[in-house]
Amino acid sequence: YALQGHLDKAEEHKVNALSLYETSLGFNHPDTIKAKKNLAYVYAQEGRFEEANSLLQSAIEKLKNTGKINQPLLDSCIEAKLRVAAMKHDRAVQLQKQQN
């Protein structure tokens, strides 16, 4: 849905998926963390950068607080956080250009 521009539907499905993963697998499971990352991207596409950043920060903290760190997943979440920051910057630049 997100690729087709239907962000509302994408968000709905990602929220439902995250809820199911949290309920069935727990908050620290790698699939739950990936679902958080996916939802964060949808939020960022919607311009909800603070919510996206918060989700990714939560995912990073959960990964760091587990006994055995999943380094590839941690790196992926950190990279996603950097992408969201870049998206936020790009949006700000775009808005600035429109105002001029």
Side-chain angles (χ1 to χ4, degrees):
Y1 287 113
L3 293 174
Q4 297 171 353
H6 302 288
L7 296 177
D8 55 338
K9 284 282 192 189
E11 179 185 346
E12 178 183 338
H13 287 282
K14 300 293 184 189
V15 167
N16 288 339
L18 177 57
S19 179
L20 287 171
Y21 283 128
E22 287 175 340
T23 301
S24 59
L25 301 175
F27 293 98
N28 296 329
H29 192 278
D31 290 340
T32 304
I33 301 296
K34 289 175 193 173
K36 275 189 174 196
K37 187 173 77 166
N38 291 337
L39 178 58
Y41 276 130
V42 172
Y43 284 165
Q45 289 174 316
E46 292 175 325
R48 297 163 59 187
F49 300 110
E50 298 309 317
E51 289 172 88
N53 190 53
S54 178
L55 266 181
L56 291 167
Q57 186 61 41
S58 170
I60 290 166
E61 288 172 9
K62 288 191 183 314
L63 285 166
K64 286 182 175 181
N65 291 330
T66 59
K68 182 180 175 185
I69 295 178
N70 181 333
Q71 193 64 47
L73 185 54
L74 177 60
D75 292 345
S76 175
C77 288
I78 292 169
E79 185 177 310
K81 195 170 177 195
L82 292 171
R83 278 193 207 128
V84 167
M87 290 171 73
K88 182 179 180 181
H89 176 266
D90 290 347
R91 178 75 55 92
V93 168
Q94 191 177 38
L95 290 173
Q96 183 69 26
K97 285 181 181 180
Q98 289 175 353
Q99 291 177 352
N100 292 331

